[in-house]
Amino acid sequence: MKTILVTGGMGYIGSHTVVELINKNYDVIIVDNLYNSNKIVLKRINIITGVTPKFYEVDCCDYNNFEKIFKENKIDAVIHFAGLKAVGESVNLPLKYYQNNLISTLNLIDLMNKYNVKNLVFSSSATVYGAPKSVPIDETFDLHVTNPYGRTKLMIEDMLRDYCFVNKDFNCALLRYFNPIGAHKSGLIGENPNGIPNNLMPYITQVAIGKREFLGIFGNDYNTVDGTGVRDYIHVCDLALGHVLTLDKLFTNSGLVTYNLGTGKGTSVLELHDAFEKACGFKIPYKIMPRRAGDIDSCYANCDKAYKEIGFKAQYNIDDMCKDSWNWQKNNPDGYTE
Ligand code: NAD
Ligand code: UFG
């Protein structure tokens, strides 16, 4: 049984990946400082899988406490989700983002080196493609970023590319996620943002439960099918499975690999809104608002490389994603509570 250390494993994508790893018989250790998550997630993981993973409440920026995890456990691979991810906040508090995202990763690479752990999956983002020259986007596209959050992702990718260049026995996957939504079928784990949601799906679900009055749609004059922004929404359980497939690849001594994880299909804001109405069975009021600074027309992935090299293909469609997001929100109107 291989042991996987999951940083940020109590968070949205991390918790779904932990479930998938346990289902595939991995031994899982979670490290999370609970900055953007809740301890109840552990109980929920246990209800779903029958297993409670070992959990360390530790900040990955705290080298000494982080090191204890490597001292106490024999780790085969790390999946590194821990990080701050709010684009808008990163513009206002850039140092917070550089400090948290870069230091935690530097500590991690240093400790992996020290304790001879040779396999790493890193959560990168489609944000590294900036405003792409065309869609769909493949992994060879130019990289350029437009905000401090994105810059941390690109800097970490660069660090890892440099590290892999001289450490040929180090296996590392840079996974560029498109837009994860949805939740585990059980409705026990899901996305649980603090405060006003920045992202589209959690905003819609909060309108649906009556926490917000209406959805603001940021612009309807984009060069897209109906004028609203187009994105590549991927079910978080498909994304979770992508990590398990990626681990299999790393264990073949892959060296450095980079994959887009999306569905390859673009969906507009209005299309997602309509699909959600279908899923919940009632109207979601919306208003057209001005464009949001920094948004682009269209962003969706070409996922051929992930399919060819690791057999990754998203199974769930937009209707499934809406149904599962709604199921999670409806069962947990106030997020994680006992
Ligand atoms: P999340 O906030 O739900 O999960 C991140 C987890 O990391 C949280 O539980 C948080 O408490 C923890 N964490 C943060 N800093 C830490 C630190 N220094 N030490 C220990 N734990 C720490 O976010 P998510 O949506 O699950 O995203 C996971 C990763 O995927 C992030 O790196 C994010 O940037 C990346 N990503 C997310 C999206 C998305 O839309 N959700 C898209 C692309 C990439
Ligand atoms: N949108 C609205 N109203 C809202 C929220 C969003 O109309 O209340 C629109 C946006 O304008 C955009 C689309 O919905 O057209 C999706 O917006 P999100 O904020 O949900 O997602 P983004 O594509 O802007 O960004 C997200 C993450 C980034 C990540 C990127 C790619 O926030 O960190 O996906 O993975 F880089």
Side-chain angles (χ1 to χ4, degrees):
M1 203 190 232
K2 285 197 163 71
T3 299
I4 315 297
L5 175 65
V6 182
T7 79
M10 303 291 274
Y12 173 46
I13 307 172
S15 56
H16 287 82
T17 304
V18 166
V19 166
E20 203 54 54
L21 289 168
I22 294 172
N23 286 340
K24 295 286 178 322
N25 280 322
Y26 283 105
D27 186 23
V28 176
I29 302 170
I30 297 176
V31 51
D32 198 302
N33 63 359
L34 301 181
Y35 176 83
N36 196 36
S37 48
N38 193 305
K39 217 170 166 182
I40 296 172
V41 169
L42 268 191
K43 288 189 193 155
R44 302 284 178 94
I45 290 173
N46 177 282
I47 299 171
I48 297 170
T49 64
V51 172
T52 306
K54 200 176 204 182
F55 171 57
Y56 289 86
E57 187 176 340
V58 164
D59 190 322
C60 300
C61 297
D62 171 354
Y63 188 92
N64 292 336
N65 278 316
F66 199 7
E67 180 165 24
K68 280 188 196 149
I69 303 173
F70 286 81
K71 274 195 186 133
E72 289 172 10
N73 301 280
K74 166 86 190 70
I75 295 162
D76 294 291
V78 180
I79 305 182
H80 183 37
F81 292 106
L84 302 177
K85 62 165 185 176
V87 175
E89 186 189 51
S90 81
V91 174
N92 295 319
L93 298 170
L95 296 188
K96 178 173 169 180
Y97 276 68
Y98 290 121
Q99 225 144 27
N100 189 74
N101 293 2
L102 298 184
I103 308 270
S104 58
T105 309
L106 282 168
N107 284 348
L108 174 65
I109 303 170
D110 187 82
L111 288 166
M112 290 180 74
N113 184 41
K114 197 163 166 184
Y115 289 86
N116 211 25
V117 183
K118 298 289 184 193
N119 303 292
L120 171 64
V121 181
F122 171 62
S123 297
S124 189
S125 165
T127 196
V128 297
Y129 295 116
K133 62 179 192 302
S134 58
V135 278
I137 302 165
D138 72 46
E139 291 84 351
T140 64
F141 273 39
D142 289 347
L143 305 180
H144 41 83
V145 285
T146 54
N147 57 70
Y149 163 71
R151 215 156 282 127
T152 66
K153 291 293 174 194
L154 189 50
M155 285 168 148
I156 294 169
E157 282 204 3
D158 283 336
M159 265 160 36
L160 289 168
R161 276 187 282 268
D162 288 343
Y163 185 76
C164 289
F165 183 73
V166 287
N167 292 279
K168 299 291 184 204
D169 61 343
F170 191 76
N171 307 305
C172 177
L174 309 175
L175 297 185
R176 296 176 180 154
Y177 310 152
F178 282 68
N179 292 54
I181 60 171
H184 191 264
K185 285 258 165 292
S186 62
L188 287 167
I189 53 173
E191 188 169 15
N192 183 33
N194 284 324
I196 302 171
N198 298 303
N199 297 114
L200 180 59
M201 180 54 92
Y203 206 102
I204 293 178
T205 61
Q206 291 201 3
V207 175
I209 48 158
K211 277 205 166 146
R212 317 260 159 220
E213 208 184 323
F214 61 88
L215 168 70
I217 294 185
F218 301 146
N220 66 349
D221 56 353
Y222 284 104
N223 183 22
T224 61
V225 55
D226 55 23
T228 65
V230 164
R231 296 292 183 272
D232 186 341
Y233 298 97
I234 173 170
H235 196 295
V236 66
C237 293
D238 275 330
L239 191 58
L241 193 58
H243 290 75
V244 178
L245 296 171
T246 301
L247 282 180
D248 293 341
K249 175 76 176 178
L250 293 186
F251 291 138
T252 65
N253 290 321
S254 62
L256 178 70
V257 291
T258 305
Y259 300 122
N260 284 341
L261 295 184
T263 63
K265 191 176 171 305
T267 302
S268 76
V269 177
L270 275 172
E271 286 169 341
L272 189 71
H273 165 273
D274 295 353
F276 192 89
E277 282 190 340
K278 204 168 85 186
C280 70
F282 53 85
K283 288 282 170 203
I284 303 293
Y286 71 85
K287 286 185 190 166
I288 304 298
M289 317 268 280
R291 288 181 175 202
R292 183 171 68 178
D295 274 355
I296 54 175
D297 296 21
S298 289
C299 174
Y300 57 92
N302 175 328
C303 300
D304 292 352
K305 191 176 173 211
Y307 180 62
K308 273 187 205 125
E309 296 192 11
I310 57 170
F312 173 78
K313 197 164 176 46
Q315 301 298 321
Y316 295 106
N317 63 28
I318 284 290
D319 292 334
D320 302 321
M321 299 180 216
C322 289
K323 203 170 93 212
D324 293 338
S325 286
W326 176 228
N327 185 43
W328 151 254
Q329 185 72 85
K330 177 172 77 183
N331 288 326
N332 303 271
D334 297 312
Y336 286 109
T337 49
E338 291 284 0

